[in-house]
Structure formats: structure tokens, C-alpha cells
Amino acid sequence: MSSEALPLRAVLTDIEGTTTAIAFVKETLFPFAAEALEGFLAAHSGEAEVAGLLGEVRAAEPGREPLAVLRDWMAADSKATPLKALQGLIWRQGYADGRLKGHLWPDVAGCLRAWAAGGVGLAVYSSGSEEAQRLIFGHSVAGDLVPLFSGFFDTRMGAKREQASYAAIAEAMGMAPGAILFLSDVAEELDAAVAAGMQCCQLVRPEDGTRASGRHPEARDFPEVARRFGLPGHSQAG
């Protein structure tokens, strides 16, 4: 499906490598969840939400103990939905008691606020659970940004490198795909979004070691995205 560029009505953004340092996820969030996993399950496995997620783990790998499966998934950096959901619940505790603060690149929050104030819809699509997304933005170093967003989408919408996932998100947002700008550092995700009809821009942040694909428009930060796509606040951004 070719992309039909329409006036932009919304920005859909990835998190890791786009709004947030890859190192924060790899070196802070993942180790925090791994260290807390066993104690968290021991304390909360009887609760309905956690029990349901453990049921999904058992269904995925029958005959194995869920803790062992989750450990293996963590080691493999699996995108398995029940793992992501459980990580989100663990991180919720860390954010609530102040042990965690959601990292954002310094250029991100000002642009998000300007875009929202200018009438641009904002949404997130990340392989991290919806819960984890809300926590990063709700307990960010720039304050609570959750009210700026109208939607949070995770792998329950489908894999991030599949065209159908982006079509489903556009439908959920009630917009033509061509009116949505998707931001990500991963070229293959952008390929899928473009195939679904969205506009896109690759965030190429040297600090994260991102490599430009040459297949998509590029920007090194959010002010450059604003300038390239004529988003609100671009005249004073950066």
C-alpha cells in the first residue's frame, strides 16, 4: 500500500531509541525487573491479573515452571506479551516508590507539549506493555506526560514489523494512516508503517548508535522532526 501524505493529525512514537535512551531500557529497566521477578511472583501470584499472565506463560510452554520460562524469555529479550506485562507490573512498584524515573532525551518533552497544544494527537506504539509505556511517561524526568497522549499501543496490536499492526492502530485512532506520522529508530518498523500508509521519520541519535537506513526521512532529534514535518512549535524548537 503506497503512502498518501495527508495533513498530519497525529504523531505515533516508539519509545526505546526514539524518546528514550536504549541504555535506560537495557541497563536500568531490564535488570530491575530480572532482580525483582522471583520475589514479585511469590508475593503477587494469587492476584487475578498476575495469575492470568502466568496462565498465558503456562499455555505458551506447557510442562515448564513459569519462572523458568520467564527467565529464559528475559535472557533472550523476548517480546512475549505476558513477559512484557509482568515487567510492567514490577516497574510500576519501582516508579511508585521512587526507585525508577523514566528517561527521556532532553529534546522530547518540550516538543510533545507543543504538538499536543497545537492540536496534534499523540500516541505510543512500543513492544513494552501499555503499562510500561504509561509508567515511563507518567514518572518521567520531565514530569507526568501521560495526559498528552490519547493512545498507548503494545504488541497486543501485533508485531512492530508487520504492516497489519499499523493498519489496526490507525483504525483504533480513527484516522487515515496517511494523516499519522510514525517515529522510530528501527527501519524495519518504519517499512511496515509506510506499507500501511503512514508517514514516517527515522530517529538517528548518535548517542544510541542508530544507523540511518537511507530508506526514510531522518532526524537526529524531535525539534528536527518538527521542522521537517511542519509540526507546531518548530519555529522555536531546538
Side-chain angles (χ1 to χ4, degrees):
M1 178 178 178
S2 61
S3 176
E4 179 187 355
L6 302 172
L8 283 177
R9 295 179 56 202
V11 172
L12 176 69
T13 185
D14 172 51
I15 295 179
E16 184 181 350
T18 302
T19 66
T20 299
I22 292 173
F24 174 70
V25 178
K26 301 293 188 189
E27 297 173 13
T28 299
L29 290 184
F30 284 173
F32 184 93
E35 182 177 348
L37 177 63
E38 187 168 356
F40 179 85
L41 293 181
H44 300 283
S45 60
E47 298 171 8
E49 183 176 15
V50 176
L53 291 169
L54 291 175
E56 292 182 37
V57 176
R58 292 187 183 93
E61 297 206 21
R64 296 189 64 202
E65 282 297 317
L67 179 61
V69 175
L70 290 165
R71 291 282 188 213
D72 287 348
W73 285 353
M74 284 182 169
D77 192 19
S78 169
K79 307 302 183 186
T81 297
L83 169 63
K84 293 298 181 183
L86 285 166
Q87 286 173 323
L89 294 176
I90 293 169
W91 293 330
R92 179 200 289 170
Q93 290 188 334
Y95 285 111
D97 63 25
R99 287 177 292 163
L100 292 174
K101 279 282 187 185
H103 175 267
L104 296 177
W105 291 114
D107 56 89
V108 170
C111 285
L112 291 176
R113 290 186 173 112
W115 299 346
V120 177
L122 298 178
V124 176
Y125 180 33
S126 172
S127 57
S129 68
E130 178 182 329
E131 168 82 3
Q133 297 169 26
R134 289 180 179 274
L135 290 170
I136 283 182
F137 286 106
H139 298 269
S140 85
V141 293
D144 182 4
L145 303 181
V146 167
L148 301 178
F149 293 93
S150 58
F152 293 88
F153 302 100
D154 60 21
T155 52
R156 295 179 194 275
M157 301 301 292
K160 294 191 71 184
R161 301 187 183 196
E162 294 181 2
Q163 173 184 340
S165 305
Y166 298 88
I169 288 172
E171 183 176 358
M173 293 175 68
M175 296 183 187
I180 301 170
L181 172 65
F182 178 55
L183 307 179
S184 176
D185 60 315
V186 179
E188 291 79 7
E189 296 176 5
L190 298 167
D191 293 340
V194 168
M198 290 184 182
Q199 300 182 55
C200 76
C201 186
Q202 184 181 21
L203 269 293
V204 182
R205 296 185 181 273
E207 304 92 336
D208 271 339
T210 312
R211 297 194 177 193
S213 68
R215 301 197 295 272
H216 305 291
E218 299 159 12
R220 66 159 290 135
D221 55 25
F222 273 35
E224 188 174 347
V225 171
R227 289 190 291 270
R228 291 203 64 159
F229 291 87
L231 290 165
H234 68 279
S235 59
Q236 65 263 32

